[in-house]
Amino acid sequence: MARASSTESREEIADVLVDAIFEMEAEGGARGPELARRLKVSLSRVRAELNTLESLGCIYRTGAKRGTRWWVG
């Protein structure tokens, strides 16, 4: 799994994030805190990128609050 550094551009973070979500789909979907740990970035940055990717239609979510899972599609 590639690490997303704090100096990477939004496009680079988005690419790494989508790859991580795709890898985690077999585990029942990607959770925000787990994505932040895997990418070694803050949860707030992950959430911002997730919301951007969702608005672009690249990913979608199921569940709510702690039960939220992210999927590619």
Side-chain angles (χ1 to χ4, degrees), residues 59-72:
I59 62 173
Y60 66 97
R61 72 174 103 184
T62 59
K65 302 203 181 207
R66 289 185 183 208
T68 301
R69 300 291 189 269
W70 294 93
W71 311 87
V72 176

Side-chain angles (χ1 to χ4, degrees), residues 16-37:
V16 172
L17 192 56
V18 169
D19 289 342
I21 293 169
F22 185 73
E23 288 175 10
M24 295 173 69
E25 284 186 349
E27 302 168 14
R31 295 180 58 242
E34 179 61 26
L35 289 167
R37 277 191 292 279

Side-chain angles (χ1 to χ4, degrees), residues 50-63:
L50 289 170
N51 288 330
T52 300
L53 289 168
E54 183 182 35
S55 69
L56 295 172
C58 299
I59 62 173
Y60 66 97
R61 72 174 103 184
T62 59

